[in-house]
Amino acid sequence: MKRRVLSLLLGTAMVSSMLVGCGGSGDAAATDSAATEDSAGAESSGEGGTIGLAMPTQSSERWINDADNMQKQLEAKGYKVEVQFAEDDVQQQVSQIENLIAKDVDCLVVAAVDSSALVNALAQAKEKEIPVIAYDRLLMDTDAVSYYATFDNKGVGTKIGEYIKEKKELDKAKEAGESYTIEFFMGSPDDNNALFLYNGIMEVLQPYLDDGTLVCKSGRTSFDDTCILRWSQETAQKNCEDILTANYANEDLDIACTAFDGFSYGVRSALEGAGYSIKNTDSKVWPMITGQDAELMATKNIIAGYQTMSIYKDTRLLAEKCVSMVDACLKGTEPEINDTEQYDNGKLVVPSYLCEPQAVDKDNYQELLVDSGYYTEDQLK
């Protein structure tokens, strides 16, 4: 109600100008900005506004850190923040978002469990003129989303593929007529990012699969065959156990190309169960294992030799970009955007900011993770 009254007072001209700054949710941007300025006299700090953060789960260190980073940065700007974790339960996230809308929050930031299930809830947000920011995972089939803050997801896959190509010297192996075995463990089919990542990996590695330099003995190379619902570590472990039993009784697996650090933990357990050891004293030599997110446990595993590499995504930077989008929506301005073409959600191309991921391994973790303050030496002991 407060938005409609204020929009009448502001007049058509001001509302129209504010609409440009926040896509389909511009009315909320204009009226919330005016309400803050009029009642609190603190438009620049965002005082008096409440931001709802709808996050997928607390079972992953990644999402806990993301929520914490955003909450700290938003509160530093004077916003109130309400955080909800859905624990990967689709209906629970729908209910949480509907409750946040009922509380008349000023902006919603949503990292979806399954965005296809959120269409109706997000339509309610649009009806109430509450701007919506998609965080890390694109919100599909809705025109209620204003902006998208994420990492370059295809770039994540490209960096994983390039790491394998360089460290295994695939071009030299091809010239020498040598080959490496490889198996793939890709992301959740209900997460739009997962397909971008897969495409990035295959853009680099497919030629080597085609010419036999890389050999996938299970034959599981398509996204449909390698995707793992809800990014489940347990499913990754079970898949790896089955693949090793069926295909690698008499030959070593050289590369486990996983799209997530959680998968790498499952793969490690499966490998150890099959007799592999990082000491490489037996016939089974420990393979290269990739990952994503540079979780604390994954970083410790990289240092110890159980995991070869991960993708470092500085969630502090992602939070900063998302917070700037919140500010833009509530002030009728425009945040920094670096992609206006790639992320078509079926209803519109969502203006996005893509943060740059980096490959991290035993050689550079000190520089990337410790020197930057992402982790401390004590945390990594």
Side-chain angles (χ1 to χ4, degrees), residues 33-43 45-49:
S33 176
T36 304
E37 184 176 18
D38 185 57
S39 62
E43 182 180 3
S45 67
E47 290 180 2

Side-chain angles (χ1 to χ4, degrees), residues 80-121:
K80 297 177 183 178
V81 180
E82 183 166 344
V83 183
Q84 298 288 324
F85 288 94
E87 305 311 336
D88 280 334
D89 185 313
V90 175
Q91 289 308 311
Q92 183 171 332
Q93 186 167 59
V94 171
S95 296
Q96 289 172 344
I97 290 173
E98 288 176 343
N99 288 337
L100 289 168
I101 293 169
K103 290 180 179 180
D104 204 27
V105 296
D106 294 280
C107 184
L108 273 173
V109 176
V110 180
V113 175
D114 180 354
S115 67
S116 64
L118 302 181
V119 173
N120 292 336

Side-chain angles (χ1 to χ4, degrees), residues 18 29-30 32-34 36-38 40-47 77 79 327 330-333:
M18 294 299 186
D32 281 353
S33 176
T36 304
E37 184 176 18
D38 185 57
E43 182 180 3
S44 62
S45 67
E47 290 180 2
K77 287 179 171 289
Y79 293 107
D327 263 337
L330 298 185
K331 297 174 185 175
T333 60

Side-chain angles (χ1 to χ4, degrees), residues 277-321:
S277 170
I278 60 170
K279 295 180 181 179
N280 297 332
T281 55
D282 301 328
S283 60
K284 294 186 176 298
V285 178
W286 196 260
M288 170 185 282
I289 304 177
T290 69
Q292 177 191 190
D293 285 342
E295 291 185 351
L296 181 59
M297 180 58 70
T299 305
K300 290 181 178 181
N301 285 344
I302 288 171
I303 295 169
Y306 290 104
Q307 185 171 329
T308 312
M309 63 83 70
S310 186
I311 296 295
Y312 167 49
K313 304 191 298 187
D314 191 340
T315 55
R316 297 167 298 181
L317 175 60
L318 186 61
E320 177 186 322
K321 297 304 179 183

